[in-house]
């Protein structure tokens, strides 16, 4: 029984030809990621710490989610009391900053994160959350841009209030 319909490779069991260059490139990428994992975690973790400091300086009542010490290096999750996460998302997007209010599988759903609610987070607080993710292309300039934009965005979102 064919897995996909189309080409006749492997006695009509598989459709298409393997992309050998992509397979080889993936192998190299996986090897490099494994070799550079500790360096990446150290560098991006330091950048994440700068982001956390910048957000807390700009918005002193922002609540940093997660364990205060044992954190993922490329992630900072904040709750901004009195704000709608979607309002913040749009305001920061207009400033050229990409962030998220939740997981990709719940994109477009205007409800607080079911995960945060399951942890006992107050629903109004859960509605004001943002996740910032960093990667190998993130820079100190990116962190500075967040630092410049987050305070005014939070003020504006608080003016709009929770709907």
């Amino acid at each position: 029984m064919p897995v996909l319909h189309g080409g006749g490779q492997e006695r009509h069991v598989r459709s298409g030809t393997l992309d050998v260059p992509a397979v080889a490139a993936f192998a190299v990428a996986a090897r490099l990621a494994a070799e550079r994992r500790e360096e990446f975690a150290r560098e991006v973790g330091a950048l994440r710490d700068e982001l956390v400091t910048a957000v807390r300086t700009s918005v002193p009542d922002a609540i940093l989610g997660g364990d205060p010490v044992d954190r993922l290096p490329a992630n900072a999750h904040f709750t901004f009391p009195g704000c709608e996460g979607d309002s913040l998302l749009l305001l920061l997007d207009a400033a050229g900053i990409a962030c998220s209010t939740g997981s990709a599988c719940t994109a477009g759903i205007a409800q607080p994160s079911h995960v945060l609610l399951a942890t006992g987070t107050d629903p109004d607080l859960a509605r004001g959350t943002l996740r910032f993710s960093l990667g190998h292309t993130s820079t100190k300039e990116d962190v500075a841009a967040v630092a410049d934009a987050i305070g005014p965005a939070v003020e504006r979102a608080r003016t709009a209030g929770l709907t």
Side-chain angles (χ1 to χ4, degrees):
M1 166 81 40
V3 177
L4 297 172
H5 298 281
Q9 287 77 6
E10 295 185 22
R11 294 180 202 86
H12 299 281
V13 173
R14 183 179 53 80
S15 176
T17 301
L18 292 177
D19 183 359
V20 175
V23 172
F26 181 80
V28 171
R31 181 179 52 77
L32 291 173
E35 288 173 2
R36 297 177 182 169
R37 184 179 56 135
E38 288 183 22
E39 177 186 356
F40 171 82
R42 189 173 45 257
E43 290 175 2
V44 172
L47 200 57
R48 182 226 36 230
D49 291 346
E50 289 180 31
L51 174 69
V52 167
T53 299
V55 170
R56 287 179 147 171
T57 299
S58 297
V59 186
D61 66 340
I63 302 164
L64 178 64
D67 190 274
V69 177
D70 191 19
R71 310 186 61 76
L72 293 172
N75 180 285
H77 185 271
F78 288 95
T79 299
F80 298 93
C83 294
E84 284 281 358
D86 288 338
S87 296
L88 288 171
L89 185 74
L90 293 172
L91 290 164
L92 292 172
D93 183 63
I97 297 166
C99 54
S100 174
T101 56
S103 65
C105 56
T106 59
I109 298 173
Q111 295 179 354
S113 163
H114 67 281
V115 174
L116 292 176
L117 295 176
T119 66
T121 302
D122 176 85
D124 284 341
L125 283 178
R127 290 168 55 187
T129 62
L130 283 183
R131 181 184 66 236
F132 297 92
S133 297
L134 300 141
H136 70 280
T137 62
S138 300
T139 65
K140 289 180 181 283
E141 290 76 18
D142 296 331
V143 171
V146 173
D148 290 342
I150 193 69
V154 168
E155 284 180 37
R156 196 162 170 202
R158 284 182 176 158
T159 300
L162 296 171
T163 56

